[in-house]
Amino acid sequence: MTKDLVIGLDSSTQSTKAVAWTENGTPVAEGRASIPLSQPQPGWVEQDVEDWWSAACTALQDLAGKIDMSRVAALAISNQRETVAFLDADGNALRPAALWLDERARAEVDLLSREIGADKLHGISGKPIDITPVIYRLSWFRRHQPEVLDRAAKITDVHCFLTGRFTGNWMSSWTSADPFGLLDIESRTWSEDFLAHLGIRTDQLGTLVRPGTVTGTVTAEAATLTGLPEGLPLVAAGGDGQCAGLGVNAAREGVVYLNLGTALITGAWAPDPMISLNWRTMTSPTGNGYFLEGCQRAGAFLINWFVDTFAGGRDDPSVFSRLEAEAEAIPVGSEGVTVCPYLTGCMDPHWDTGARASFNGLSPNHGLGHIYRAVLEAMTLESARAITAMNENGLKIEKIVAVGGGGNSPLWTRMFADATGLPVHISQSLEASSLGAAMSAAYGAGWFETLDAAAAEMSEEGEPVMPDPAMQDAWHALSARQFASYRPEHAGS
């Protein structure tokens, strides 16, 4: 049987998707399974690690019912980032995993910053001071439940956990380990200073490997549970954000990757670990260079909240087309309405989890279309600010490649083109995180000489939305007014 497929297994926050892909990036079949969340206390968000494994098994069994698994050459994993599990020596959980959404460590952000030093934390890890990296939750456990850290044989990311279950080898790729905030991103090793401060040993963490490395083969037990062939190679991929960037072939010079999803990610490849408050510096999914990620916590989440709260809700199938039509008829600037989009806090450039949203400049002459447009304009300008900072720091950005549900809005994609002066290509590659993992699998299987070659061959872009030079002055004027309307001290920063 010809081995003409690879599988990208995307273990995200609320579901697992197993997609089989061809050598040219065509999806053949998929399987899915949901993953439940729990919130045992206010601010705590947890999952049972066995749900990660059972969802992976169910999704793969679903896929196995649709394709001949003997056609599969390799498997790779894309995983939810900044989520941590605590395991005993047999690989069983000591307690539920703490997710990236978890905010129990809010007080640790300032405490750990003072103890280690904010500049040192940022400079070594590439992550500005923010509640999201796992290091702050580990600090919380050290202060409040030290026995969890002391008893843990393994402290793992989702990629490492699933790799252990598939192969028996506890391995983290650079890109799955990186979001922990414990990685020295220059040496790509665990930071001895950070581990010593937390009282964690290197052997408690996953063995670090370069993306594209074969981490082992599927065991007989895992094969029985998943429908995968015993002995199938498992290839290191990593964090879903970086995998999505690889999936749209944005891990290269000149391209900005724009994920218009629940959160709004603006990512660009850089050859060196450039450190700035305008982004968080991540390791590249190719293993070469870095990814600079601007991030808005509330992207599509802000839009959906607005629609559900004020515009009648998403149960109305015409609600978005109606709001888009109203917003389309309003000029740039929403006739004086501006929005501060920090509904769930601010990441770049202020890094303030306490920041909140506001609606400004409303009058009796304004309607829902004005506010809807102002929401889109606000998020567009936040991303444009990050892209401008990347340009000012020497990156030559030539185009934007957009993915996510927001890419279905012609109005919003045109806003990005006009506000940045860059062409916006809509990626034709669905399930970008799974596809990025599949590219890693294809490289690990020997189909391509480099991960860059895999990304070029397996991705596809649509025709660009070109910027209108006549709109440039209007967007510049709006940018000045927009950011003046919520200076950091007024936004809680």
Side-chain angles (χ1 to χ4, degrees):
M1 176 66 70
T2 301
K3 295 189 180 297
D4 60 348
L5 300 175
V6 289
I7 295 174
L9 184 74
D10 180 20
S11 180
S12 62
T13 307
Q14 298 186 70
S15 67
T16 297
K17 296 172 285 290
V19 187
W21 302 86
T22 67
E23 191 173 357
N24 66 1
T26 300
V28 173
E30 69 174 52
R32 291 178 180 249
S34 61
I35 305 174
L37 296 170
S38 65
Q39 295 180 275
Q41 296 187 36
W44 293 26
V45 186
E46 299 182 339
Q47 283 177 330
D48 184 342
V49 300
E50 295 302 328
D51 289 332
W52 299 344
W53 179 236
S54 64
C57 292
T58 299
L60 286 164
Q61 289 167 355
D62 186 8
L63 180 63
K66 301 171 182 175
I67 64 169
D68 182 346
M69 284 292 203
S70 66
R71 296 171 59 190
V72 178
L75 165 76
I77 299 164
S78 162
N79 60 278
Q80 59 164 304
R81 303 187 289 185
E82 290 110 358
T83 290
V84 59
F86 305 91
L87 311 176
D88 64 19
D90 296 321
N92 299 313
L94 296 172
R95 69 171 320 281
L99 267 64
W100 62 275
L101 294 162
D102 192 285
E103 294 189 350
R104 78 187 68 197
R106 186 178 289 273
E108 295 297 325
V109 177
D110 288 337
L111 287 170
L112 199 63
S113 297
R114 290 198 297 268
E115 291 173 354
I116 294 180
D119 290 343
K120 185 174 183 179
L121 281 165
H122 189 184
I124 290 176
S125 73
K127 314 299 176 287
I129 305 307
D130 175 61
I131 196 172
T132 310
V134 171
I135 187 172
Y136 301 103
R137 263 164 284 152
L138 295 176
S139 181
W140 184 93
F141 280 106
R142 177 52 68 197
R143 289 185 215 276
H144 299 282
Q145 296 180 12
E147 69 281 0
V148 172
L149 300 186
D150 294 338
R151 291 175 55 210
K154 289 296 177 187
I155 300 170
T156 76
D157 56 74
V158 179
H159 183 284
C160 181
F161 171 79
L162 291 175
T163 299
R165 285 294 175 94
F166 279 118
T167 70
N169 301 324
W170 301 94
M171 293 186 174
S172 297
S173 77
W174 295 342
T175 62
S176 74
D178 175 13
F180 265 39
L182 295 175
L183 192 74
D184 182 325
I185 60 170
E186 287 202 58
S187 65
R188 295 181 175 85
T189 59
W190 297 114
S191 167
E192 293 182 5
D193 287 349
F194 294 172
L195 297 189
H197 188 90
L198 295 170
I200 293 173
R201 306 183 311 276
T202 303
D203 63 81
Q204 290 178 283
L205 300 167
T207 301
L208 294 169
V209 296
R210 184 187 184 95
T213 301
V214 175
T215 57
T217 58
V218 173
T219 65
E221 180 182 3
T224 299
L225 293 171
T226 62
L228 292 169
E230 182 181 353
L232 180 74
L234 183 68
V235 181
D240 53 10
Q242 292 113 307
C243 281
L246 182 63
V248 300
N249 194 22
R252 58 193 172 107
E253 189 174 18
V255 182
V256 162
Y257 151 65
L258 185 66
N259 186 354
L260 302 174
T262 303
L264 201 160
I265 307 293
T266 310
W269 183 87
D272 302 307
M274 300 163 62
I275 303 297
S276 170
L277 291 175
N278 289 293
W279 54 73
R280 53 186 186 178
T281 307
M282 319 293 288
T283 51
S284 167
T286 64
N288 299 317
Y290 298 85
F291 242 23
L292 312 182
E293 279 192 1
C295 186
Q296 298 178 55
R297 291 184 192 275
F301 180 83
L302 173 59
I303 298 171
N304 293 337
W305 170 84
F306 168 73
V307 170
D308 291 341
T309 305
F310 300 107
R314 286 172 285 166
D315 290 340
D316 177 357
S318 66
V319 65
F320 282 106
S321 59
R322 186 172 64 251
L323 288 169
E324 291 265 324
E326 292 178 18
E328 181 78 34
I330 299 168
V332 174
S334 300
E335 296 182 332
V337 180
T338 59
V339 173
C340 173
Y342 305 151
L343 187 69
T344 54
C346 175
M347 295 182 77
D348 64 280
H350 307 305
W351 303 97
D352 181 5
T353 57
R356 289 296 178 260
S358 64
F359 297 80
N360 310 298
L362 290 169
S363 78
N365 297 320
H366 296 128
L368 288 176
H370 291 85
I371 305 174
Y372 179 78
R373 182 182 179 97
V375 167
L376 297 183
E377 288 178 342
M379 290 189 290
T380 299
L381 287 171
E382 290 284 337
S383 293
R385 173 164 59 181
I387 293 169
T388 296
M390 293 171 187
N391 271 316
E392 290 174 346
N393 280 267
L395 296 189
K396 293 179 173 59
I397 307 299
E398 297 172 354
K399 69 177 183 179
I400 296 170
V401 179
V403 295
N408 295 321
S409 167
L411 172 63
W412 202 7
T413 52
R414 189 166 65 254
M415 283 183 177
F416 278 106
D418 290 343
T420 62
L422 296 169
V424 177
H425 297 251
I426 307 302
S427 173
Q428 304 301 295
S429 304
L430 303 177
E431 300 294 353
S433 293
S434 170
L435 178 54
M439 292 169 176
S440 298
Y443 165 72
W447 290 3
F448 300 97
E449 291 190 5
T450 65
L451 271 167
D452 291 306
E457 178 63 26
M458 296 176 72
S459 61
E460 183 181 0
E461 300 169 6
E463 290 298 313
V465 177
M466 299 302 296
D468 181 354
M471 302 304 296
Q472 189 172 41
D473 288 345
W475 278 98
H476 283 168
L478 174 58
S479 178
R481 182 164 59 86
Q482 173 80 22
F483 295 131
S485 74
Y486 57 96
R487 293 190 302 273
E489 62 267 31
H490 291 161
S493 300

